[in-house]
Amino acid sequence: VETIAGQHLAAELPDHSKVNLNAQSKLTYFPYWWKIQRIVKLEGEGFFEVEKGKKFTVNSSKGITQVLGTSFNIFSRAEIYKVTCITGSVKVKSRTGFEAILKPNSKAEIQADGKINVLADIETFPEISWRKNIFLFTASPVLQVFHEIERQYGVKINAQPDNYSLYTGNFTKDQSIEETLSYVCPALGLKYVRNSSGEYLITREEE
């Protein structure tokens, strides 16, 4: 099951577990093997609601998440892998062998060295607000914000790679792409220009 830029999709697995996929995400599983082992592969972002039963495993390039029956969100893009537990409990394993057990309202992120950083008693809505087409950012690198805008609107944004500013704010899919950029850019001393091919160029305001 694969989503393109600008698309969200709900998938139902053979045991009636449900997965909501964010834009530009891919979920792979083998239905004929499902009764023997519940294993899926995810690249991108997905919210899982897992029916109780045998061990349920989600493989991604940077980590492995295992549960029995619970709801949780996985973000697995580029160098970022983070898991947020909503209900039940979740085991997160890095490819280098570190493990962590998550309880509800906690989040794990796998670091570059494979160690796992866990935050407990967090506000989980910002991690799953994408399901309601709301995108929240707190001190997030601006390039990550632009990548999310690209995914949600299906556009191309050319931003200066040397800009390491942090952005705190939000946007919703109810807004147009240009409304969203008009919120994000000025807060960072940036401006946007739409070129003839429909792509957006981000530059500093003084340029």
Side-chain angles (χ1 to χ4, degrees), residues 28 85 92 163 182 201:
T28 306
C85 180
V92 179
N163 191 306
S182 70
L201 175 65

Side-chain angles (χ1 to χ4, degrees), residues 49-104:
E49 295 174 282
V50 176
E51 293 291 324
K52 291 184 178 179
K54 295 178 181 178
K55 182 171 64 178
F56 185 103
T57 301
V58 184
N59 289 322
S60 296
S61 57
K62 286 200 70 179
I64 301 166
T65 298
Q66 294 179 328
V67 301
L68 295 177
T70 184
S71 60
F72 56 97
N73 194 80
I74 296 178
F75 183 101
S76 176
R77 299 188 190 277
E79 296 305 310
I80 301 174
Y81 185 86
K82 58 183 178 178
V83 180
T84 305
C85 180
I86 310 300
T87 62
S89 63
V90 177
K91 178 191 284 187
V92 179
K93 297 195 294 186
S94 72
R95 294 292 180 181
T96 54
F98 292 93
E99 295 186 1
I101 302 294
L102 299 184
K103 298 299 182 184

Side-chain angles (χ1 to χ4, degrees), residues 144-161:
Q144 289 182 20
V145 178
F146 287 139
H147 288 329
E148 193 64 57
I149 292 172
E150 286 182 316
R151 281 192 287 270
Q152 299 307 324
Y153 290 98
V155 298
K156 176 65 177 174
I157 296 176
N158 292 311
Q160 295 178 338

Side-chain angles (χ1 to χ4, degrees), residues 106-125:
S106 61
K107 176 174 72 172
E109 184 165 351
I110 297 178
Q111 307 301 300
D113 60 3
K115 293 181 180 178
I116 301 175
N117 182 39
V118 176
L119 296 175
D121 300 319
I122 66 165
E123 172 56 57
T124 58
F125 182 72

